[in-house]
Amino acid sequence: MMVEPNSLTALRPDSFQPDAESSEAGHARSFEETWDFLKPLLPRVPVTRVYDTTPLDYISSPVWSAVTPLAKDLMVSAGKGATPIAAKLSAVMEAIERVSAEEIPARRIVRGSYEELAPAAAVDPEDFSLPQDTTYRPDAVFSWTGAYDLAQGGHHLVPTDLVLNPSTEGMTARIETNGLASGNTYSEAVLHAVGELVERDAVSEEAFYSAHHDPVFSPRRPLRVISPESVPAGTAKELIDALTGQGLVVRIQDLTNVIDIPVIRVVLFDDGYFGQEGKVTYFPGYGADLQPERALLRALTEACQGHAGFATGAREVFETGRARRRPAELKRLDSLYRNPGSLAFPQAKDGSGSILQNIHTVVGRLRDAGHEKCLVTELSREDLGVPVVRVLVPGLASPYGESSRTPTLRLLESVI
């Protein structure tokens, strides 16, 4: 069966424009311009309510929610940011990207087995660490769609089950959102998606090591805790000071791995949380960016989002396979709690004011780490016109403990 992959997607090299950053967070439009564009679209999604959940918690970081009652997956999306409008947009954009990922137009789908389609540049699904209970077989018929490869150029076929959310054919777990992102432009959406993939790969490496490391067989991995005093003056530093002033313990961990893109983990430890007074409760957050200050701010605001999310009770558990914390993981978290940090805040990794240039830099780092493909699939809804993509990078780990995917080689190597 001969199929031209480029006939199943509108993405081409010129789909990714050299957008200049127009916000402190690196977006292609200002927050106000983005809201003016999105607001008339909400009834079409439909988003029936957008509300501020910040007053329901006792910490100061803005958190908003957006309700999509007809969604097949998550009906209450959460958003965070350094300002109320940033948090509001974050919630709305998450709602749009998840609803947009529910289906692909039939004209962009072909059905066949990998054995039939391989001559037409189909990517081997086994390159994506499929779960043990996958329905995939090379001779079984599945749905496929087109993807553009940012790393090498050209188009490929990828299984729709790795693109859609929820998936429908059993190749992987039904609910997975890793690498799903929206943006003002395709370039912005891609950079967000790739950043999430890099972040979760590094976080999974830490989680796998924490759960399975045995000091008898491999050397101990340092925590790499960053001193809050070394964080440069700015929005992130102000938020750290505010959280500390409210009685929380803030720990900052550098999780950057071989991909060499800054990945920051923040854990908020709170001994006065609702109903848990006197018992330390923890809230993690993560961020990845060529500029470490942005990675830190995303991690901080995500941790604050978790703090508020538990307080409101509005957000469901939406990733499958969520595992309980093992004793070794809890022990490592306790070590983090007791470690105030001594490392200096990391330096920037060549981030620029051009979103497209940042994509090229990140893809180059992925290639240097052995990841030869960076596949972008198109999920934008025609009636909305909001760019939405799913990015797939073979060899990167899905969230360990929150996904049924099998561990990657890098995860296994982290404990030997």
Side-chain angles (χ1 to χ4, degrees):
M1 180 187 300
M2 294 300 295
V3 178
E4 292 296 332
N6 61 358
S7 67
L8 302 178
T9 178
L11 295 178
R12 302 288 185 272
D14 59 3
S15 302
F16 310 101
Q17 297 297 316
D19 309 307
E21 295 178 352
S22 297
S23 77
E24 183 181 354
H27 299 91
R29 290 180 182 147
S30 70
F31 292 139
E32 291 74 18
E33 289 176 308
T34 302
W35 178 244
D36 289 343
F37 168 64
L38 292 178
K39 187 176 180 179
L41 305 179
L42 299 187
R44 300 182 204 169
V45 177
V47 172
T48 57
R49 187 181 177 207
V50 183
Y51 61 97
D52 184 5
T53 62
T54 313
L56 300 178
D57 197 5
Y58 51 81
I59 60 176
S60 55
S61 183
V63 178
W64 281 63
S65 295
V67 180
T68 48
L70 302 183
K72 296 178 181 178
D73 171 20
L74 190 66
M75 295 182 185
V76 181
S77 294
K80 73 279 187 186
T83 62
I85 191 170
K88 178 167 65 173
L89 289 172
S90 174
V92 169
M93 280 297 211
E94 182 184 76
I96 289 174
E97 71 195 34
R98 295 181 80 106
V99 171
S100 297
E102 292 178 353
E103 61 183 26
I104 294 174
R107 68 179 183 277
R108 291 183 37 227
I109 292 176
V110 63
R111 289 188 56 80
S113 69
Y114 175 67
E115 290 180 346
E116 294 172 316
L117 295 170
V123 177
D124 189 347
E126 292 184 348
D127 291 344
F128 295 98
S129 304
L130 299 178
Q132 292 184 348
D133 61 353
T134 181
T135 59
Y136 171 71
R137 299 192 318 274
D139 62 344
V141 174
F142 287 91
S143 300
W144 303 71
T145 191
Y148 179 74
D149 185 2
L150 281 169
Q152 299 183 15
H155 292 81
H156 299 268
L157 294 175
V158 295
T160 61
D161 245 22
L162 301 183
V163 177
L164 293 175
N165 180 66
S167 60
T168 60
E169 298 180 326
M171 185 176 289
T172 186
R174 189 168 181 270
I175 305 298
E176 285 192 357
T177 61
N178 197 23
L180 176 65
S182 56
N184 288 289
T185 66
Y186 277 112
S187 296
E188 182 185 314
V190 165
L191 190 58
H192 290 168
V194 177
E196 181 174 80
L197 289 170
V198 169
E199 168 204 306
R200 291 183 173 178
D201 180 75
V203 171
S204 295
E205 192 173 323
E206 167 69 11
F208 191 85
Y209 170 87
S210 298
H212 300 293
H213 168 253
D214 187 334
V216 173
F217 297 103
S218 59
R220 188 174 300 277
R221 179 174 178 160
L223 277 170
R224 290 190 290 163
V225 185
I226 296 168
S227 167
E229 286 72 26
S230 71
V231 175
T235 305
K237 177 63 172 173
E238 291 171 2
L239 181 53
I240 291 170
D241 292 342
L243 293 168
T244 302
Q246 290 167 317
L248 279 71
V249 173
V250 182
R251 294 290 180 255
I252 308 167
Q253 189 179 2
D254 185 356
L255 297 184
T256 308
N257 63 8
V258 68
I259 299 173
D260 197 29
I261 294 169
V263 178
I264 301 295
R265 178 194 198 193
V266 167
V267 182
L268 303 181
F269 294 92
D270 188 350
D271 64 1
Y273 195 70
F274 305 106
Q276 301 290 321
E277 292 84 356
K279 178 182 177 182
V280 176
T281 308
Y282 65 91
F283 301 90
Y286 310 95
D289 197 282
L290 291 167
Q291 297 187 28
E293 291 89 346
R294 285 182 181 170
L296 172 59
L297 187 58
R298 287 171 188 158
L300 281 164
T301 54
E302 185 174 87
C304 292
Q305 174 184 298
H307 195 280
F310 276 85
T312 60
R315 187 175 174 91
E316 311 99 323
V317 172
F318 56 87
E319 300 284 7
T320 58
R322 188 176 296 274
R324 292 185 177 180
R325 295 283 181 184
R326 297 172 174 84
E329 295 176 273
L330 294 174
K331 183 177 180 181
R332 193 160 171 86
L333 270 172
D334 184 63
S335 297
L336 181 62
Y337 175 60
R338 298 175 186 280
N339 186 343
S342 58
L343 297 182
F345 194 73
Q347 298 297 310
K349 295 290 184 180
D350 303 323
S352 74
S354 166
I355 295 174
L356 184 59
Q357 182 55 52
N358 288 340
I359 291 174
H360 290 322
T361 300
V362 171
V363 171
R365 298 260 166 86
L366 285 167
R367 198 162 39 225
D368 292 343
H371 302 282
E372 297 297 330
K373 291 185 176 67
C374 184
L375 303 160
V376 185
T377 56
E378 172 193 10
L379 288 167
S380 308
R381 267 177 44 175
E382 293 178 359
D383 62 328
L384 298 178
V386 178
V388 178
V389 299
R390 170 87 81 162
V391 176
L392 305 171
V393 178
L396 290 186
S398 295
Y400 179 71
E402 299 183 1
S403 166
S404 61
R405 300 290 185 97
T406 56
T408 63
L409 179 61
R410 185 180 296 131
L411 297 193
L412 296 173
E413 290 175 341
S414 72
V415 296
I416 58 174

